[in-house]
Amino acid sequence: MNLECQQITSKDGKKVVDFLLEDEKTCISLMSCFVKAGEIKQLPPHIKGYKILFNQEIVGIFTISDGGSVLHYFKEKYTKSDDENYENLKKLIFSILSKKNVYSIIGNLYGTRFLMKVIEGKRKPKIQINPRRKIGSISICSINITSSRKPHTKHIISSIRIEIMAKIF
């Protein structure tokens, strides 16, 4: 088994487009990152592209923008939990996506479900409501709002904790 993830370079354009043409109808948005007016082009600087290779054959492509939008296409076989490469593929992709603030995943259904499983349970939710205690008809809870972003080299994490008292009818 030789499964690897590599960043897409300008030399990969033709191979990437040929791979995406296999199921063009489900990767129109992804294809538009690589083709403009019939010409193969490089990805813009705010989008990073990755290819998944199995024995040097492309089995998946995904891009992630600086804003957190992921576009993808994977061969269905590799996104099924009964495939022998499934866990290794999850680890490879998580190593990249865990460093980004993913907010949108766009692509075919099985690939989207796969990517959601990759990041599921690995990160804290943005908003978390914790019931605290109840005093008569008033319930007190805390809300933790966490945001994280990575501007250049500094990693900023901010948390806000809000105590709310709500009357329950």
Side-chain angles (χ1 to χ4, degrees), residues 63-161:
T63 63
I64 184 161
S65 70
D66 287 346
S69 181
V70 176
L71 302 173
H72 65 83
Y73 175 66
F74 298 95
K75 288 188 176 179
E76 185 174 9
K77 167 188 172 184
Y78 295 90
T79 62
K80 294 186 176 183
S81 59
D82 59 350
D83 184 71
E84 63 188 52
N85 299 303
Y86 180 81
E87 287 301 321
N88 289 330
L89 182 57
K90 277 178 64 174
K91 288 176 189 172
L92 275 174
I93 294 174
F94 181 73
S95 69
I96 294 165
L97 295 185
S98 64
K99 298 171 188 166
K100 301 287 186 173
N101 193 11
V102 176
Y103 79 92
S104 172
I105 299 174
I106 301 169
N108 55 23
L109 184 60
Y110 55 83
T112 298
R113 285 183 178 155
F114 169 73
L115 289 175
M116 288 174 64
K117 285 179 184 173
V118 168
I119 62 175
E120 181 178 89
K122 304 288 185 183
R123 300 186 323 177
K124 290 184 179 180
K126 296 279 184 218
I127 299 176
Q128 185 175 353
I129 300 175
N130 304 315
R132 299 264 308 244
R133 62 186 177 265
K134 189 174 181 178
I135 303 171
S137 63
I138 296 179
S139 180
I140 299 173
C141 67
S142 67
I143 299 177
N144 297 319
I145 302 172
T146 305
S147 69
S148 62
R149 57 184 162 165
K150 197 174 181 182
H152 306 297
T153 58
K154 293 182 180 179
H155 189 72
I156 297 172
I157 298 178
S158 60
S159 287
I160 302 169
R161 185 179 165 141

Side-chain angles (χ1 to χ4, degrees), residues 36-48:
K36 185 171 183 171
E39 298 287 323
I40 297 174
K41 63 177 186 165
Q42 285 186 329
L43 290 171
H46 68 281
I47 297 175
K48 303 292 183 256

Side-chain angles (χ1 to χ4, degrees), residues 1 8 13 31 62 113 125 131 146 154 163:
M1 176 197 83
I8 294 172
M31 182 74 85
F62 70 98
R113 285 183 178 155
T146 305
K154 293 182 180 179
E163 292 277 334

